[in-house]
């Protein structure tokens, strides 16, 4: 069973920065992609950023230019650097990993970490 352990959430003022970390229990090369999602109460979970096995990353329009996803293969860790944070970035952030076996995608999730941005 894959485990994803997140850290780095917290309370920050608008304009500040946070870095989230997600460490996997096995090599991140085993995943087709890893990413970060976020969710606020009453809304669906939304994709924030994803990095694919080949290294290509993509972002939600709302975070482009402010957030950066990266990975450390040796540490089996994916990061989300969040700069210029806004109150609307407040959410629970979840790490996601997708593995593909025989044309079937398997999704794994972390436990979530709270990010709160005060105005």
């Amino acid at each position: 069973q894959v485990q994803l352990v997140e850290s780095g959430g917290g309370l920050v003022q608008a304009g500040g920065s946070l870095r989230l970390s997600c460490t996997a229990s096995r090599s991140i090369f085993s995943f087709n992609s890893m990413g970060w999602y976020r969710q606020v109460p009453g809304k669906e979970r939304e994709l924030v950023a994803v990095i694919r096995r080949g290294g290509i990353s993509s972002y939600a329009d709302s975070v482009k230019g402010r957030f950066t996803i990266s990975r450390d293969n040796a540490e089996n860790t994916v990061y989300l650097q969040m700069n210029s944070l806004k109150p609307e970035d407040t959410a629970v952030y979840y790490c996601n990993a997708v593995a593909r076996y025989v044309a079937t995608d398997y999704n794994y999730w972390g436990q979530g970490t709270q990010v709160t941005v005060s105005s």
Side-chain angles (χ1 to χ4, degrees), residues 2-6 21-37 47-59 69-73 75-80 94-99 107-110:
V2 174
Q3 288 187 323
L4 302 175
V5 179
E6 301 139 337
S21 301
C22 172
T23 300
S25 58
R26 72 185 199 201
S27 172
I28 59 176
F29 276 124
S30 67
F31 302 116
N32 279 49
S33 66
M34 293 191 72
W36 290 93
Y37 287 70
L47 176 65
V48 175
V50 62
I51 186 165
R52 294 171 178 81
R53 181 180 287 155
I56 296 174
S57 57
S58 56
Y59 300 89
I69 189 169
S70 63
R71 65 190 184 191
D72 184 330
N73 298 328
E75 297 294 327
N76 293 328
T77 299
V78 172
Y79 302 98
L80 185 67
Y94 295 91
C95 179
N96 169 261
V98 180
N107 278 274
Y108 302 96
W109 295 94

Side-chain angles (χ1 to χ4, degrees), residues 80-95:
L80 185 67
Q81 178 67 43
M82 305 185 293
N83 298 328
S84 303
L85 282 160
K86 304 175 181 180
E88 50 264 43
D89 294 318
T90 295
V92 178
Y93 284 70
Y94 295 91
C95 179

